[in-house]
Amino acid sequence: MTQKFTSFETFYPYYLEAHENPICRRLHLLGVIVALGAILYSILTQTWWTLAIAPGFGYPCAWLSHAIFGKNVPATFGHPFYSFKGGILMYRDMLTGKVPF
């Protein structure tokens, strides 16, 4: 990834473009839901070691969705913090109808 961004505001349109495939977006959302479920399980059962594997549920869904459906490289490889924030905003925008589900 060679593209540089000076602010999140310039990054977010790029992030949305990388997620224009609806199946890619849905698999991202599924990964987040499963990862949050793993975190909730860790808290409820107090098996704290399972917190370490929670990202292992979410990221494969996202990465595979880019490889198979998005046909692009995940933005998280070059911009991990912007991508995390972009994901949260994209999920919000999906729930509010700004971004198609």
Side-chain angles (χ1 to χ4, degrees), residues 35-55:
L36 288 174
I39 292 168
L40 183 61
Y41 173 82
S42 296
I43 293 168
L44 293 175
T45 63
Q46 296 185 351
T47 51
W48 305 115
W49 66 269
T50 57
L51 285 174
I53 63 171

Side-chain angles (χ1 to χ4, degrees), residues 32-101:
V32 168
I33 291 168
V34 172
L36 288 174
I39 292 168
L40 183 61
Y41 173 82
S42 296
I43 293 168
L44 293 175
T45 63
Q46 296 185 351
T47 51
W48 305 115
W49 66 269
T50 57
L51 285 174
I53 63 171
F57 291 110
Y59 280 116
C61 285
W63 294 341
L64 285 173
S65 72
H66 279 285
I68 297 169
F69 301 104
K71 306 284 192 233
N72 56 35
V73 177
T76 192
F77 292 152
H79 306 283
F81 298 111
Y82 281 171
S83 293
F84 181 75
K85 183 176 180 181
I88 292 169
L89 292 182
M90 183 178 71
Y91 306 139
R92 179 204 65 193
D93 290 346
M94 287 170 73
L95 293 173
T96 60
K98 279 179 84 174
V99 172
F101 182 77

